[in-house]
Amino acid sequence: MIKQKKFILVIALLLALNAFSCKKGGSDVPETVKADPSFANDIQPVFTNNCALSGCHSSTAQAGLILLQGQSYSNLINVNSTQEPNRIRVLPGDAGNSYLVIKIEGNQTVGARMPFGRSPLSSVQIQNIKNWIDRGAKNN
């Protein structure tokens, strides 16, 4: 009986350690900053998992911005923000003046930091978005 309890305790401990080692979303692959991130592989998944959710930037389009796969790119590049019409959502080659970056870093003067009501994006996710924009915001 004692051996059985110890075995169960060891299994429970291993399961708990495994759960803590996995990142949000079930992936245990560490995030890495990429010098030239791909829109399809590195940027869109951030939008899909954090922004294109029900009631946010899905088909309900908060602030007129849909970030669903297949629609997000054309809704971002050289498009004026609806909150601050004098700002461009994504200005290729200029992450510092892209409204998307301003919003995800929490430096906006209108509205809330994005993603609203969720944990902020990680520093790696933000840096990859900035690198993607600075490298020309390619649809790759």
Side-chain angles (χ1 to χ4, degrees):
M1 184 61 113
I2 293 176
K3 285 185 180 182
Q4 195 174 28
K5 286 183 180 179
K6 284 183 180 179
F7 177 75
I8 291 171
L9 182 61
V10 168
I11 295 299
L13 181 61
L14 289 173
L15 289 172
L17 287 172
N18 184 49
F20 283 114
S21 69
C22 290
K23 294 176 55 57
K24 185 177 176 181
S27 172
D28 59 355
V29 178
E31 292 182 325
T32 56
V33 172
K34 297 185 178 179
D36 192 10
S38 156
F39 181 75
N41 297 325
D42 303 308
I43 307 306
Q44 182 61 53
V46 173
F47 297 151
T48 300
N49 294 326
N50 297 282
C51 313
L53 308 169
S54 178
C56 295
H57 297 289
S58 61
S59 58
T60 56
Q62 290 293 321
L65 176 57
I66 296 175
L67 292 176
L68 294 170
Q69 186 172 346
Q71 297 178 47
S72 59
Y73 188 83
S74 63
N75 285 310
L76 288 169
I77 307 302
N78 292 314
V79 175
N80 288 5
S81 163
T82 56
Q83 281 188 326
E84 290 196 40
N86 61 331
R87 292 197 177 270
I88 304 294
R89 289 176 176 163
V90 170
L91 189 58
D94 192 354
N97 285 309
S98 293
Y99 195 56
L100 173 68
V101 172
I102 292 167
K103 290 289 279 189
I104 63 176
E105 288 186 326
N107 296 322
Q108 74 286 344
T109 57
V110 176
R113 181 178 187 164
M114 292 293 123
F116 180 73
R118 299 178 58 84
S119 297
L121 298 181
S122 72
S123 60
V124 170
Q125 291 170 319
I126 292 171
Q127 190 59 54
N128 280 335
I129 290 170
K130 290 167 72 172
N131 289 352
W132 168 71
I133 294 170
D134 283 338
R135 299 278 288 184
K138 296 175 277 196
N139 190 7
N140 58 355

